[in-house]
């Protein structure tokens, strides 16, 4: 295998480019034939190993990379590829299937959402309405929060710019207070963040549970396309 040393060599697949994080601290990448692997620490709360390429070549590369960086890194990529890797790589087990969604278009959404000056109230809302969220204030890579607030200033719906790469912005932490659901607020705040990410990075991406059709429908209406991906673990 051969190590890659610059972000310019990670072209093409937005998932691979996003994982490269502009070759930020701790990121390493390799190729072997047509296979590529990017090890990115603490990316969306996990040590992730983004992979792409022919299954046999990727399996060989994942085995070699695991010996280089350790087995805390979880391979993720297209679902069919990850399922094959779980069969081919000793000690690797399939974890879960989910969705990667992306867009390069600015959604035409009218919204009152805007960036918060800090993160006051965000943690309380997450704890109340979305305790399993990956994005939380203060985590490495969680950059800023957008919100729609009520007349009394209470946060009603939020979303984060988190783990964005120079070429791919990333939307995370989408949460709406229970009493405010069903009013289109998440679409508005996600539309605002998506527009800001596309303007700054050229493309926006996110990950979504595949059994959350309501969220997927919102993202589709904002112009995102769905891609079946999955993760595995050693």
């Amino acid at each position: 295998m051969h190590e890659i040393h610059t972000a310019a060599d990670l072209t093409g697949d937005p998932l691979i480019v996003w994982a490269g994080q502009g070759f930020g601290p701790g990121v390493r990448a390799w190729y072997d034939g047509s296979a590529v692997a990017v090890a990115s620490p603490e990316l969306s709360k996990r040590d992730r190993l983004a992979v792409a390429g022919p299954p046999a070549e990727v399996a060989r590369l994942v085995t070699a990379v695991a010996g280089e960086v350790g087995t805390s890194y979880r391979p993720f990529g297209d679902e069919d590829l990850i399922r094959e890797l779980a069969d081919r790589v000793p000690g690797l087990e399939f974890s879960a299937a989910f969705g990667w969604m992306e867009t390069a278009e600015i959604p035409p959404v009218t919204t009152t959402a805007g960036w918060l000056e800090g993160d006051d109230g965000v943690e309380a809302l997450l704890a109340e309405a979305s305790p399993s969220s990956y994005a939380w204030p203060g985590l490495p890579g969680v950059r800023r929060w957008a919100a729609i607030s009520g007349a009394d200033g209470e946060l009603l719906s939020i979303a984060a710019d988190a783990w964005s790469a120079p070429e791919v912005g990333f939307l995370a932490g989408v949460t709406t207070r229970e009493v405010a659901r069903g009013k289109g607020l998440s679409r508005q705040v996600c539309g605002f963040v998506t527009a800001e990410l596309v303007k700054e990075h050229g493309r926006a991406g996110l990950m979504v549970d595949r059994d959350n059709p309501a969220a997927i429908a919102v993202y589709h209406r904002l112009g995102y396309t769905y891609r079946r991906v999955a993760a595995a673990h050693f």
Side-chain angles (χ1 to χ4, degrees):
M1 69 178 181
H2 304 277
E3 189 158 4
I4 297 169
H5 296 286
T6 66
D9 293 321
L10 294 177
T11 58
D13 189 338
L15 192 66
I16 295 294
V17 173
W18 172 68
Q21 292 287 291
F23 266 70
V27 174
R28 298 179 66 186
W30 301 262
Y31 71 91
D32 183 353
S34 298
V36 61
V38 182
S40 192
E42 296 186 65
L43 178 61
S44 189
K45 283 188 68 176
R46 297 282 188 266
D47 290 344
R48 297 187 185 272
L49 184 66
V51 294
E57 294 179 10
V58 175
R60 184 172 64 240
L61 183 57
V62 165
T63 301
V65 169
E68 183 80 14
V69 300
T71 55
S72 69
Y73 285 84
R74 300 183 175 199
F76 83 110
D78 287 326
E79 182 179 349
D80 291 345
L81 172 60
I82 297 301
R83 289 189 182 279
E84 284 213 41
L85 291 182
D87 291 335
R88 290 172 177 263
V89 178
L92 191 66
E93 297 182 4
F94 187 87
S95 294
F98 47 99
W100 165 270
M101 301 188 73
E102 63 183 71
T103 183
E105 302 297 326
I106 295 176
V109 176
T110 300
T111 178
T112 60
W115 295 117
L116 296 173
E117 292 187 3
D119 51 31
D120 290 347
V122 170
E123 188 166 347
L125 176 52
L126 289 170
E128 172 192 326
S130 186
S132 62
S133 172
Y134 276 26
W136 287 79
L139 282 182
V142 179
R143 180 181 175 193
R144 53 185 174 170
W145 293 85
I148 294 175
S149 302
D152 59 358
E154 182 181 51
L155 301 183
L156 299 178
S157 189
I158 59 174
D161 167 3
W163 304 293
S164 289
E167 310 88 343
V168 185
F170 196 72
L171 172 68
V174 179
T175 305
T176 299
R177 198 173 298 279
E178 187 171 356
V179 297
R181 292 174 183 171
K183 301 177 182 179
L185 299 186
S186 62
R187 180 173 181 266
Q188 289 187 44
V189 74
C190 289
F192 169 79
V193 174
T194 298
E196 294 291 298
L197 294 177
V198 171
K199 286 187 285 187
E200 182 174 346
H201 302 277
R203 184 178 298 273
L206 59 88
M207 288 191 282
V208 63
D209 290 337
R210 67 176 182 176
D211 58 355
N212 190 348
I216 293 171
V218 168
Y219 301 137
H220 274 311
R221 288 197 294 271
L222 292 174
Y224 285 85
T225 57
Y226 186 91
R227 175 178 174 181
R228 293 168 46 245
V229 296
H233 67 276
F234 285 95

